[in-house]
Every structure is written in structure tokens, then in C-alpha cells.
Amino acid sequence: MRRYSCMFLVVLVTVLIITGCAAQQASGTREQGLDKKGILVVSFGTSYADTRKVTIEACENRIAEHFPGYEVRRAFTSSIIRNILKDRDNILVDSPEEALTKMKEEGFTEVIVQPLHIITGEEYTEVLETVADFEGAFEKLVVGRPILTTIDDYKAAAEALKTQLPQLKKDQAVVLMGHGTPHPANASYSCLQLVISDMMPNVFVGTVEGYPGLDDVTARLKEADIKEVTLVPYMVVAGDHAQNDMAGDEDDSWKTILKKEGFVVKTYLHGLGENPGYQQIYINHVQDCIDGYPMGHQAE
Ligand code: CO
């Protein structure tokens, strides 16, 4: 009996020693500061270097300044854009999957993925799917929400937009060119229109590839007796759509079509990413991820 209890004691002590060592080792790792935190900023990308610098890059830089404890990295979702940049400019940009793979290999423990997307459409859904493949690869992995997600987001987006728009007389209007999509999130543009209309008159939302289209907007401009229109991209970047489809000299650009309809047309070639208010919105969405409210405080 005595021999058994003696053995039991030996075993118990051994177990305690081993557990103690393991615990010490674990806390030792923590103390050495191996917590590696990153923010992956994901956008569609653009091959236009000038606008990229003042929009996407500016947003990344603002986020980096605001979160010094995090390493900020870039990914572009568009393989076409990534290939143009690689072949033409020798600029290498990761896809979201490549960027997350590298961060996993480099031992990041916490990753916030912040899309620069406007709506919760196809691009954003693809980001969510990519991130889902990395479940368990990091201690913490959270995706921030796009510009237009919660109702509070729409209001913040409209407020921030207001700061970059000109003062309008009764016969002057701003026409925003959103992207538009066959995805159900196309409804975001109509919601944005209502929120903006509650706040300011004569600002009309249109889209290149969805509803409302330019025809719908033109009808509203005529109904409101508008004589002069300023075209403004409602996109992060003033890239191909803004420079060609909106402000180009081709027959089918919005500028040309509206001129033919008899309007005086001005163009404004700055992406939303240049607007400090929009940069701040992205910062707020990252902060919400860090605080545990990735879909906004209201939604949870
Ligand atoms: Co497009």
C-alpha cells in the first residue's frame, strides 16, 4: 500500500513538473512578443498609377498610420490588373489568397482583412470565400465591411461625400457614377440615392453596369429642370470607368450623351479614395473588427 502511494506521488510530481514547464514555455512565447498583427487591404486594383497613388495607396497609408501595431499589406482581386502591372510596370501585387498564404507562413497571429469595396457585392463575397479557406490558420482572422453595409454606413458615406461636392444652384446637379452589378447588392445604389436625397437636393445616383442606368438618371434630370451637370465617380478609384465611360470623348461616354441631350457637362476626376472622409470610414471599419463588431455596432 505504501509502495503504491509512493509511486503515485512520484507520478504526480512528474506530471506537475511537466505541466509547469509547458505552461512556462507558453507564457515565455507570449512574453517574447511573437504576436504578429497585420491588416490586409483588399481592393479591385487599378492599372492607372496616378489615381492608384492618391486613392488605394492613400487609404493603405492612412490605415497604417492609424494602426502602428499592425503591418499593412496590399492585395488586388483583379487578375487582369495584377497581370498588366506585372508585365507592363514590373509591379508585383498579391491576390488575397497569395497575401494570406504569405502571412500564414510568416507566422501572423492576427489578420484583419479590410476591403476597399463600396458594396457587399460579388467582389466582397469572393473575399469572404477566400478568407473562409484560411479558417484556423490564424488565432484571429476578421473581415471588415465595405462602405455601404449598415444604414449608419450609408449616412456616414453620404456625409463624407457631401464634403467633396460643389455648391449647387437650382438648375445644377451632380450625377454620381457608381459601378453597378447583376448581384443583389445592386440595391445599395437605390438606398444610397434615398439617403443622399434626404440630405441634399439635385444629387443623382447612376451606374455603369446596373440600375439605375444613365437613361433613368437623364429622365430625372429633365424632370428637375437641370441645365448643368457635374459628373462624379462613385468609385474608390478614378480609373478606367471614370476616365473613359464617364468623362471620355467617345460617343458612348456619359459626358458625350448628356451633352447631346442639351446639358452643360463638367467632369470631376477624383476617386472616393482621395476623400479623407472615406479614408476615415475604412479606418473605422478596421477599428470595428479589432473591437469585435465587424458588421457594425448596430447590427450586433
Ligand atoms: Co467594371
Side-chain angles (χ1 to χ4, degrees):
M1 190 64 194
R2 225 177 130 198
R3 244 174 74 195
Y4 283 116
S5 46
C6 212
M7 264 188 48
F8 172 75
L9 204 68
V10 169
V11 170
L12 182 73
V13 168
T14 314
V15 166
L16 283 177
I17 288 169
I18 291 170
T19 331
C21 283
Q24 210 174 27
Q25 228 169 25
S27 71
T29 334
R30 281 261 163 268
E31 274 159 21
Q32 279 159 28
L34 283 183
D35 250 7
K36 212 171 164 185
K37 302 194 226 176
I39 299 169
L40 179 62
V41 181
V42 177
S43 57
F44 181 80
T46 178
S47 59
Y48 290 70
D50 292 351
T51 186
R52 187 172 62 239
K53 221 178 171 51
V54 292
T55 58
I56 294 174
E57 213 170 296
C59 291
E60 293 163 346
N61 291 341
R62 276 288 303 279
I63 291 171
E65 277 163 30
H66 204 270
F67 300 100
Y70 289 76
E71 188 180 325
V72 172
R73 299 217 173 164
R74 162 189 293 178
F76 288 173
T77 56
S78 168
S79 57
I80 297 173
I81 302 289
R82 291 197 311 270
N83 286 335
I84 293 175
L85 291 178
K86 188 173 84 183
D87 298 341
R88 188 194 63 189
D89 305 335
N90 218 3
I91 296 175
L92 293 176
V93 181
D94 287 330
S95 68
E97 193 185 349
E98 288 165 343
L100 286 170
T101 304
K102 284 180 188 170
M103 292 173 102
K104 181 184 160 187
E105 285 167 1
E106 290 171 40
F108 277 81
T109 51
E110 178 181 334
V111 176
I112 312 287
V113 178
Q114 180 57 54
L116 298 188
H117 300 132
I118 301 286
I119 60 170
T120 55
E122 221 167 81
E123 292 278 322
Y124 167 71
T125 308
E126 276 169 28
V127 171
L128 292 182
E129 284 166 4
T130 303
V131 168
D133 292 339
F134 285 84
E135 211 193 294
F138 309 96
E139 283 173 32
K140 185 176 172 181
L141 176 62
V142 191
V143 185
R145 63 197 191 279
I147 293 288
L148 301 176
T149 310
T150 70
I151 295 304
D152 281 347
D153 290 339
Y154 283 83
K155 290 176 184 167
E159 286 288 354
L161 177 72
K162 209 174 166 181
T163 62
Q164 76 179 60
L165 298 185
Q167 283 290 328
L168 297 171
K169 293 186 189 130
K170 225 174 167 309
D171 62 352
Q172 294 176 321
V174 162
V175 170
L176 299 171
M177 182 197 249
H179 194 279
T181 170
H183 188 278
N186 187 75
S188 292
Y189 296 103
S190 298
C191 184
L192 178 68
Q193 175 72 75
L194 282 180
V195 173
I196 287 176
S197 298
D198 284 345
M199 207 177 280
M200 48 194 151
N202 292 5
V203 178
F204 299 90
V205 180
T207 67
V208 204
E209 292 175 23
Y211 173 88
L214 182 60
D215 287 353
D216 306 301
V217 172
T218 308
R220 277 166 214 158
L221 291 171
K222 288 179 176 171
E223 206 181 337
D225 273 326
I226 299 300
K227 302 279 176 280
E228 186 191 297
V229 171
T230 304
L231 293 171
V232 176
Y234 196 78
M235 299 182 192
V236 174
V237 162
D240 199 42
H241 286 304
Q243 306 201 18
N244 295 316
D245 300 323
M246 189 188 87
D249 293 321
E250 303 288 310
D251 281 351
D252 57 354
S253 79
W254 285 23
K255 184 178 84 178
T256 307
I257 293 170
L258 288 172
K259 272 185 178 170
K260 273 190 197 148
E261 291 282 348
F263 298 100
V264 174
V265 182
K266 293 180 174 174
T267 56
Y268 174 94
L269 279 168
H270 299 277
L272 296 173
E274 286 188 48
N275 181 332
Y278 276 76
Q279 296 168 359
Q280 185 61 46
I281 290 172
Y282 292 125
I283 289 171
N284 296 345
H285 290 193
V286 171
Q287 187 65 56
D288 284 344
C289 289
I290 293 169
D291 295 344
Y293 299 95
M295 293 311 283
H297 292 257
Q298 193 189 40
E300 266 142 295

